[in-house]
Amino acid sequence: MRAQLALVTPRVIGSVVMSEVLGLAGVSVVRGTKTLLNNVDWRVAEGERWVVLGPNGAGKSTLLQIAGARMHPTRGVAGILDEVLGAVDVFELRPRIGVASASVAHQIPEHEKVLNVVVTASYGVTGRWREDYERDDERRAFRLLEEWGVSTFFNRPFASLSDGERKRVQIARALMTDPELLLLDEPGAGLDLAGREGLVKRLSELAADPMAPSTVLVTHHLEEIPPGFTHALLLRDGAVVAQGPMTEVLTEENLSTTFGLPLNVSNNAGRYTATARH
Ligand SMILES: Nc1ncnc2c1ncn2[C@@H]1O[C@H](COP(=O)(O)OP(=O)(O)OP(=O)(O)O)[C@@H](O)[C@H]1O
Ligand SMILES: [Mg+2]
């Protein structure tokens, strides 16, 4: 236990205290007879930008649920923003973490106005009710919508937006509380080519912003990795195949093992592509 807790407390390197954003030690999640995550160790330091890759059912969303303090591990220790899951009030921890995922999107009421989708994040709710929002909150929400190129829809019902527009609104919402950790679960799913390229460009700009939070992006597609992302974690059947600095991890061998088929992988000016090797 002592060794596990050492993993989730700040590390001192020289005289510099490295703040650990995530420190998972031996984390498993079991439901019935199924092991969703199997003994995962993972450290994310402040400022790092991670991608999590793996096939359907690998456990990526489960890992993000743990990282977002939405789920507790069955075994192991999960340290998040210098707190330990199970020994912290998750309702205080969650506003420090921005999440954009299909499960958050499903909770947004159909008729909710786009501006409210973003502004309600300050209360950790979906659906504006009787909370009192400051004008400053609304201004910040509008500014985030502008930054993500969707402010013209501020008064439209969320459900009336296209998939791509909704994805951008969700990221604006995830950034509303100025989080220390940003978790994006497949933000590129369902986007057309222009939509995907626009998203990759914006995420690349976010990655380059030193004020932007530490980020974890889940995707199936190497083409969606924004240049400037620094690290990768590969998951298969709930277990880590490889993790670490992006260029070391995204090898043909590691990716072929992860996705279960022989792959050719190339990297052109920071953009990755993968195709099956025939
Ligand atoms: N309550 C549960 N009981 C049993 N199995 C579950 C339960 N919840 C999730 N699973 C299974 O756990 C596995 C991991 O799910 P998860 O959603 O984390 O995968 P994923 O990597 O995000 O997949 P995808 O790429 O399809 O989104 C899946 O096979 C899923 O069916
Ligand atoms: Mg998933």
Side-chain angles (χ1 to χ4, degrees):
M1 190 65 182
R2 182 181 288 269
Q4 286 188 331
L5 278 177
L7 274 174
V8 295
T9 50
R11 281 173 290 159
V12 180
I13 298 174
S15 58
V16 182
V17 177
M18 297 293 292
S19 202
E20 199 150 80
V21 172
L22 287 173
L24 272 53
V27 164
S28 295
V29 173
V30 180
R31 293 287 179 271
T33 56
K34 171 123 179 120
T35 300
L36 280 59
L37 287 179
N38 191 0
N39 204 19
V40 172
D41 294 328
W42 184 29
R43 284 173 161 186
V44 173
E46 207 175 299
E48 291 177 349
R49 283 87 172 89
W50 283 75
V51 285
V52 174
L53 287 154
N56 290 129
K60 304 179 299 296
S61 297
T62 307
L63 186 64
L64 241 57
Q65 298 253 48
I66 299 269
R70 263 70 181 175
M71 187 191 281
H72 283 62
T74 313
R75 288 190 296 276
V77 180
I80 306 172
L81 299 172
D82 294 328
E83 304 286 352
V84 177
L85 216 51
V88 59
D89 179 354
V90 289
F91 293 100
E92 284 182 14
L93 187 54
R94 285 178 190 165
R96 299 171 61 197
I97 308 165
V99 181
S101 67
S103 57
V104 173
H106 285 141
Q107 290 163 26
I108 297 171
E110 249 180 67
H111 299 292
E112 186 77 337
K113 294 281 181 358
V114 164
L115 186 74
N116 290 342
V117 170
V118 179
V119 87
T120 50
S122 11
Y123 279 74
V125 296
T126 46
R128 187 160 179 166
W129 185 233
R130 293 212 179 108
E131 308 85 7
D132 266 335
Y133 294 98
E134 307 275 337
R135 288 288 298 158
D136 276 356
D137 286 343
E138 292 187 333
R139 268 195 287 270
R140 175 172 171 76
F142 192 82
R143 204 171 59 242
L144 283 164
L145 288 171
E146 277 180 330
E147 276 170 25
W148 287 86
V150 281
S151 58
T152 50
F153 310 123
F154 80 97
N155 208 21
R156 286 251 306 266
F158 182 66
S160 73
L161 269 50
S162 80
D163 272 348
E165 292 158 356
R166 261 182 269 172
K167 296 275 171 173
R168 284 187 270 161
V169 171
Q170 283 179 68
I171 298 174
R173 174 186 161 88
L175 289 166
M176 179 65 197
T177 59
D178 197 12
E180 292 152 77
L181 172 60
L182 178 65
L183 305 175
L184 305 173
D185 196 348
E186 295 193 47
L191 301 192
D192 67 13
L193 191 55
R196 183 192 80 187
E197 289 301 295
L199 183 74
V200 167
K201 182 167 176 288
R202 280 167 202 278
L203 289 175
S204 185
E205 287 162 2
L206 195 70
D209 179 353
M211 299 302 286
S214 308
T215 304
V216 181
L217 164 71
V218 166
T219 177
H220 293 118
H221 303 294
L222 271 76
E223 291 74 7
E224 288 177 6
I225 299 175
F229 271 54
T230 59
H231 291 73
L233 181 144
L234 305 181
L235 264 186
R236 180 176 176 83
D237 292 335
V240 175
V241 174
Q243 62 171 308
M246 183 93 73
T247 47
E248 290 171 26
V249 168
L250 297 189
T251 62
E252 288 184 341
E253 192 184 349
N254 285 341
L255 287 160
S256 300
T257 305
T258 304
F259 287 98
L261 81 165
L263 291 171
N264 289 320
V265 175
S266 60
N267 177 353
N268 184 6
R271 292 298 300 276
Y272 285 89
T273 48
T275 49
R277 198 184 303 153
H278 294 295

